[in-house]
């Protein structure tokens, strides 16, 4: 007689085996009608799942009103939509063989093997979507059929799909005791597909689905294996949410940092230099330098010491830290000592032998640094430390290198060389909470200055059932308590995430929402007991005995490349004046005003502002339009009357008319105030309060 415990702690008992659907019906008919699936002891299942023992159960339902759709509901809807899309594709292309179709972030895909000479393009989407809509409207039940592994393999062999046979074999090797098919309708009569599930109760519960794109893929991800076609789609509980998602994608395309970055001349990626390696052009360098100057001021206030470290280090350094060879798949290959290489060449050493010698430490060499922390550790260890010296806060805009796969690279957001606003704090255990609070204060200042108001705080804790974590459990308790207390003091809500800690300690991550609602992981604070142990760090305590310091990693921006890529898209290239590569452009109405325009331009330069003078022969409206395309915060349009009165006519970005005329010195003073206080748009409010 299973007893089921609900999320609110209440319990319901049944006389025999039951299902999530029966549980929902026992609670109420409305819930039974609304339910999409359930979690039973943390496993996502369908409503027909057999529950034979006591269990914790939470029912999965679609969102109400403006509530966000849960991840579980989206997973069930999108997994089910992948089946509907596959059925429609096979209806249009009868020879298509299905391979694999999982839900993914923002949608789903299905890998398909098409007959020779057949291809799917976006031109086919309308035909396929018409069939998908018919299947959804027909509201057919998703019906599960289980076969023994022997019967299931026989069926697949008779159907002749090596892909599904491979999927089944892998499932059996993974411990599956049976094989299951899901039909969209009646088993044996309607279309079905080999699948472990779960799915929503019926196709009508999908709500709204749409095909998104098509790409090439390979069986098992192996470029030497079968070439496949990957068809992407997405699905939501209703058409309104689908339309909102498509609108967000369209807005995201307009804000694409790669497009805006090219238009505004912020950065370049040059094939001759290499993929994933950013060339900061003058305009982009201004944005980066302004951010660095901004954060450096705050670091000085908080007592940080700036350091510089080399881009490469000896392999032994990274062997001690644990970065080599354990993370070598994401690192550039080591640079072998030339003398050692010459000896090995004479010995006829193979590449495989060289790799083994490098991993075992028999060969010396250097590594492009994947992390700054080992070098900061060596700076800390370079002199004796007393408890009176702690905390020691070492900061660096340090460039590191990771060998990301070419298919994973994406503009500035995923690169192979990036600069972190990195810092490492060495402190006593009693100082952990205070130091974490200082790190969080820094993040708060950054967000407030940049107008970032929507974010979540995630405190990553260890999973008590996992063995991946290193260190004394007592130290973990202290560090986790310090992280929680610091998060409490931050003044906003936060979420505890068991299992999200780094292997060496708990961490605090900031998940930021940009101007169009997309989430970005920016900024992190991590507590580390592991590296001080590996490097045998110590300080002399008040008892004259040797003690181990605790290390805190923190990077409020994270990667400068990724952070500025985020800012480009968040602001759509329209940076606040203090960040803008060009803050103000001076436009004479005609050649008669050119001399006065130069006087205004020179005054702005003298005040330290970034400005240009556009006195070209183009018509004034054309010059205004160009400045708008380049997202210049302020335009000063000057004519003969301005020259006589010593005024400037001001136009602010995004406003298609002049705000009015003010004295030139007044404008310069107001602009300096806006820039120096790092406000966004304060000048217009100050000079033209009625606009």
């Amino acid at each position: 007689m299973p007893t089921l415990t609900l999320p609110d702690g209440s319990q319901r008992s049944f006389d025999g085996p039951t299902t999530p659907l029966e549980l929902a019906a026992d609670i109420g008919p409305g819930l039974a009608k609304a339910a999409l699936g359930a979690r039973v002891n943390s496993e996502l299942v369908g409503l027909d799942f057999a529950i034979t023992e006591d269990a914790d159960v939470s029912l999965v339902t679609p969102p109400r009103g403006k509530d966000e759709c849960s991840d579980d509901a989206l997973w069930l809807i999108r997994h089910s939509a992948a089946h509907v899309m596959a059925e429609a594709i096979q209806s249009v292309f009868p020879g298509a063989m299905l391979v694999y179709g999982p839900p993914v972030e923002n949608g789903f895909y299905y890998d398909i093997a098409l007959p020779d000479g057949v291809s799917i393009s976006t031109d086919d989407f309308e035909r396929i979507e018409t069939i998908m809509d018919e299947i959804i409207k027909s509201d057919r039940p998703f019906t599960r059929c289980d076969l023994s592994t022997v019967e299931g393999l026989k069926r697949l062999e008779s159907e002749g799909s090596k892909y599904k046979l491979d999927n089944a074999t892998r499932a059996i090797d993974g411990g599956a005791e049976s094989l299951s098919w899901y039909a969209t309708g009646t088993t044996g009569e309607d279309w079905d597909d080999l699948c472990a599930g779960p799915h929503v109760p019926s196709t009508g519960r999908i709500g709204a689905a749409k095909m998104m794109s098509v790409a090439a893929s390979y069986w098992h991800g192996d470029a030497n294996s079968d070439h496949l076609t990957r068809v992407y789609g997405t699905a939501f509980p209703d058409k309104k949410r689908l339309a909102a998602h498509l609108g967000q994608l369209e807005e995201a395309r307009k804000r694409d940092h790669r497009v805006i970055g090219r238009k505004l001349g912020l950065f370049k990626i040059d094939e001759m230099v290499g993929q994933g390696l950013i060339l900061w052009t003058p305009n982009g360098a201004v944005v980066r330098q302004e951010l660095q100057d901004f954060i450096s001021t705050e670091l000085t206030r908080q007592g940080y010491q700036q350091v510089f470290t080399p881009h490469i280090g000896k392999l032994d350094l990274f062997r001690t830290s644990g970065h080599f060879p354990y993370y070598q798949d994401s690192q550039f290959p080591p640079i072998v000592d030339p003398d050692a290489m010459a000896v090995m060449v004479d010995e006829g050493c193979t590449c495989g032998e060289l790799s083994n010698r490098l991993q075992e430490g028999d060969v010396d060499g250097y590594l492009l640094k994947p992390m700054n922390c080992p070098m900061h550790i060596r700076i800390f260890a370079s002199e004796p430390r007393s408890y009176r010296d702690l905390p020691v806060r070492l900061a660096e805009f340090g460039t590191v290198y990771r060998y990301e796969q070419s298919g994973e690279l994406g503009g500035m957001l995923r690169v192979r060389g990036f600069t972190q606003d990195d810092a490492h704090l060495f402190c006593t255990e009693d100082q952990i909470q205070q130091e974490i609070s200082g790190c969080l204060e820094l993040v708060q200042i950054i967000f407030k200055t940049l107008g970032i108001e929507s974010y979540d705080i995630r405190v990553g804790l260890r999973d008590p059932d996992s063995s991946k974590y290193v260190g004394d459990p007592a130290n973990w308790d202290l560090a986790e308590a310090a992280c929680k207390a610091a998060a409490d003091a931050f003044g906003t809500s936060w979420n505890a995430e068991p299992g999200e800690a780094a292997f060496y300690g708990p961490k605090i991550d900031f998940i930021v929402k940009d101007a169009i609602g997309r989430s970005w992981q920016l900024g992190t604070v991590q507590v580390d007991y592991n590296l001080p142990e590996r490097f045998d760090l110590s300080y002399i305590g008040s008892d004259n005995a040797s003690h181990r310091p605790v290390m805190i990693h923190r990077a409020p921006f994270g990667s400068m490349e990724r952070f500025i890529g985020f800012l480009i898209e968040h602001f759509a290239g329209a940076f606040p004046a203090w960040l803008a590569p060009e803050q103000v452009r001076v436009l004479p109405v005609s050649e008669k005003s050119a001399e006065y325009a130069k006087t205004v331009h020179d005054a702005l330069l003298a005040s330290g502002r970034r400005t240009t003078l556009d006195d070209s022969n183009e018509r004034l409206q054309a010059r205004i339009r160009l400045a708008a395309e380049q997202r210049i915060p302020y335009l000063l349009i000057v004519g003969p009357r301005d020259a006589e009165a010593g005024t400037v006519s001001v136009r602010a970005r995004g406003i298609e008319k002049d705000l009015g005329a003010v004295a030139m010195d007044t404008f310069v003073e107001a602009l300096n105030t806006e820039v120096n206080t790092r406000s966004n748009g304060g000048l217009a409010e100050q000079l033209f309060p009625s606009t």
Side-chain angles (χ1 to χ4, degrees):
M1 187 173 89
T3 297
L4 308 185
T5 303
L6 298 169
D8 63 0
S10 63
Q11 294 183 327
R12 302 230 172 196
S13 297
F14 294 84
D15 293 335
T18 188
T19 65
L21 181 59
E22 291 173 348
L23 169 64
D26 191 54
I27 297 172
L31 182 58
K33 185 177 179 181
L36 299 174
R39 277 203 175 269
V40 177
N41 292 335
S42 299
E43 180 185 358
L44 186 62
V45 300
L47 291 178
D48 58 351
F49 179 80
I51 306 174
T52 58
E53 300 177 345
D54 293 353
D56 294 328
V57 181
S58 60
L59 294 165
V60 178
T61 58
R64 292 182 177 181
K66 295 182 179 180
D67 292 346
E68 288 191 14
C69 190
S70 70
D71 291 341
D72 283 346
L74 285 174
W75 196 98
L76 289 166
I77 288 168
R78 289 167 178 171
H79 189 204
S80 304
H83 272 236
V84 170
M85 184 180 75
E87 179 178 356
I89 288 173
Q90 285 195 317
S91 176
V92 175
F93 300 97
M97 299 183 73
L98 304 178
V99 182
Y100 183 61
V104 293
E105 185 178 6
N106 292 325
F108 57 88
Y109 71 80
Y110 220 117
D111 280 345
I112 297 170
L114 294 167
D116 291 342
V118 175
S119 63
I120 296 176
S121 74
T122 54
D123 293 337
D124 301 306
F125 282 8
E126 185 175 354
R127 282 193 298 162
I128 298 169
E129 286 179 340
T130 298
I131 298 173
M132 291 173 63
D133 289 342
E134 291 173 356
I135 297 170
I136 292 171
K137 288 177 182 176
S138 66
D139 197 23
R140 301 186 212 157
F142 277 97
T143 307
R144 179 176 175 129
C145 171
D146 285 282
L147 296 178
S148 70
T149 56
V150 173
E151 292 175 314
L153 289 175
K154 283 182 180 180
R155 172 180 169 174
L156 292 170
E157 287 170 355
S158 67
E159 291 174 351
S161 172
K162 68 177 183 180
Y163 305 110
K164 291 298 181 179
L165 193 58
D166 178 75
N167 291 347
T169 302
R170 287 168 175 262
I172 294 169
D173 290 343
E177 298 179 353
S178 63
L179 297 174
S180 58
W181 277 256
Y182 277 85
T184 48
T186 303
T187 299
E189 296 181 11
D190 294 302
W191 182 93
D192 65 4
D193 189 18
L194 175 74
C195 180
H199 291 283
V200 295
S202 63
T203 59
R205 304 302 302 280
I206 291 171
K210 183 172 179 58
M211 300 175 71
M212 300 300 295
S213 62
V214 62
S217 64
Y218 303 98
W219 194 23
H220 296 158
D222 182 357
N224 296 316
S225 189
D226 294 9
H227 288 232
L228 305 172
T229 297
R230 177 167 293 180
V231 185
Y232 287 94
T234 192
F236 286 85
D238 52 65
K239 292 182 178 180
K240 186 175 181 179
R241 283 179 170 80
L242 174 60
H245 174 72
L246 297 177
Q248 186 186 74
L249 292 180
E250 180 58 32
E251 183 63 26
R253 277 191 282 271
K254 294 177 184 177
R255 293 170 177 261
D256 190 325
H257 75 282
R258 292 164 295 188
V259 176
I260 293 175
R262 183 170 59 251
K263 287 181 178 178
L264 302 187
L266 299 173
F267 68 94
K268 299 286 185 184
I269 299 175
D270 190 299
E271 285 299 320
M272 186 172 286
V273 174
Q275 289 187 345
L277 302 173
I278 302 298
L279 297 175
W280 292 88
T281 47
N283 282 352
V286 168
V287 179
R288 173 169 165 166
Q289 191 62 54
E290 285 291 340
L291 285 170
Q292 290 188 190
D293 291 346
F294 160 49
I295 198 69
S296 294
T297 300
E298 297 300 327
L299 294 180
T300 300
R301 183 181 61 81
Q302 285 198 3
Y304 283 81
Q305 298 169 294
Q306 299 260 7
V307 298
F308 298 93
T309 60
H311 290 243
I312 64 172
K314 289 183 66 175
L315 278 175
D316 278 346
L317 175 70
F318 298 105
R319 289 189 180 108
T320 301
S321 70
H323 292 107
F324 184 85
Y326 304 110
Y327 302 102
Q328 62 182 336
D329 289 346
S330 60
Q331 297 168 1
F332 282 87
I335 304 166
V336 180
D337 182 278
D339 293 335
M341 179 64 81
V343 171
M344 287 186 288
V345 169
D346 291 340
E347 294 175 352
C349 179
T350 66
C351 292
E353 290 171 346
L354 172 60
S355 177
N356 289 335
R357 292 187 187 184
L358 285 168
Q359 292 194 37
E360 293 167 3
D362 297 332
V363 176
D364 206 356
Y366 291 83
L367 189 69
L368 283 169
K369 64 177 179 180
M371 296 282 190
N372 296 305
C373 33
M375 293 186 178
H376 291 190
I377 286 171
R378 296 309 299 162
I379 291 176
F380 177 86
S382 65
E383 58 183 279
R385 305 285 182 176
S386 160
Y387 72 96
R388 294 188 178 90
D389 302 321
L390 272 53
V392 173
R393 307 182 185 100
L394 303 179
E396 176 182 18
F397 290 97
T399 302
V400 298
Y401 302 90
R402 314 272 176 84
Y403 190 78
E404 302 286 358
Q405 298 299 314
S406 59
E408 297 176 342
L409 299 173
M412 300 179 79
L413 304 181
R414 195 74 179 266
V415 293
R416 287 174 171 164
F418 55 95
T419 302
Q420 295 177 304
D421 64 321
D422 217 353
H424 296 92
L425 294 72
F426 302 86
C427 64
T428 68
E429 287 187 338
D430 293 341
Q431 295 169 333
I432 293 175
Q433 182 180 333
Q434 175 186 339
E435 292 307 303
I436 293 175
S437 294
C439 296
L440 299 187
E441 180 194 359
L442 199 58
V443 174
Q444 197 169 39
I445 290 169
I446 291 170
F447 287 178
K448 183 177 180 181
T449 301
L450 291 169
I452 298 171
E453 299 177 348
S454 180
Y455 56 87
D456 294 318
I457 299 175
R458 182 176 65 199
V459 180
L461 308 173
R462 70 193 186 282
D463 179 351
D465 297 326
S466 174
S467 60
K468 78 172 185 178
Y469 305 102
V470 299
D472 186 342
N475 289 337
W476 272 91
D477 291 340
L478 289 170
E480 289 184 344
C483 286
K484 292 175 182 177
D488 283 335
F490 191 72
T492 188
S493 60
W494 53 273
N495 298 314
E497 297 285 350
E500 290 299 318
F503 74 91
Y504 50 75
K507 62 177 181 174
I508 301 176
D509 292 327
F510 288 84
I511 313 301
V512 175
K513 284 193 176 180
D514 66 12
I516 59 172
R518 295 170 300 177
S519 294
W520 305 67
Q521 200 268 298
L522 300 172
T524 186
V525 181
Q526 302 176 356
V527 181
D528 186 356
Y529 282 88
N530 179 55
L531 283 179
E533 186 75 29
R534 294 182 72 99
F535 281 91
D536 194 26
L537 297 184
S538 65
Y539 68 91
I540 301 301
S542 59
D543 57 359
N544 288 324
S546 179
H547 297 268
R548 188 83 69 205
V550 180
M551 186 174 176
I552 297 174
H553 309 247
R554 75 103 187 95
F557 290 145
S559 152
M560 297 298 292
E561 286 75 7
R562 179 176 171 81
F563 191 82
I564 292 175
F566 157 77
L567 285 183
I568 292 171
E569 299 197 0
H570 181 64
F571 290 120
F575 295 110
W578 69 275
L579 269 182
E582 183 180 344
Q583 295 166 326
V584 58
R585 182 170 294 180
V586 183
L587 306 175
V589 172
S590 66
E591 188 177 346
K592 294 178 181 179
S593 308
E595 185 175 345
Y596 178 64
K598 187 176 185 308
T599 300
V600 174
H601 177 245
D602 290 344
L604 288 163
L605 288 175
S607 71
R609 301 283 61 87
R610 297 185 291 272
T611 178
T612 60
L613 170 63
D614 185 355
D615 57 359
S616 65
N617 293 327
E618 291 286 344
R619 295 180 60 185
L620 178 61
Q621 287 305 316
R623 286 181 282 150
I624 291 174
R625 189 162 50 249
L626 176 63
E629 291 173 356
Q630 295 175 344
R631 275 80 159 178
I632 313 301
Y634 296 108
L635 305 183
L636 299 184
I637 301 170
V638 296
R641 291 182 182 177
D642 293 302
E644 290 178 10
T647 59
V648 291
S649 295
V650 183
R651 180 172 291 203
R653 179 177 55 208
I655 300 176
E656 296 183 359
K657 64 178 182 178
D658 292 351
L659 297 176
V662 295
M664 178 182 70
D665 291 344
T666 301
F667 174 83
V668 172
E669 182 181 352
L671 178 59
N672 286 343
T673 298
E674 178 179 330
V675 170
N676 293 337
T677 58
R678 297 189 174 92
S679 62
N680 191 358
L683 179 150
E685 296 173 4
Q686 178 183 342
L687 297 182
F688 309 100
S690 62
T691 58

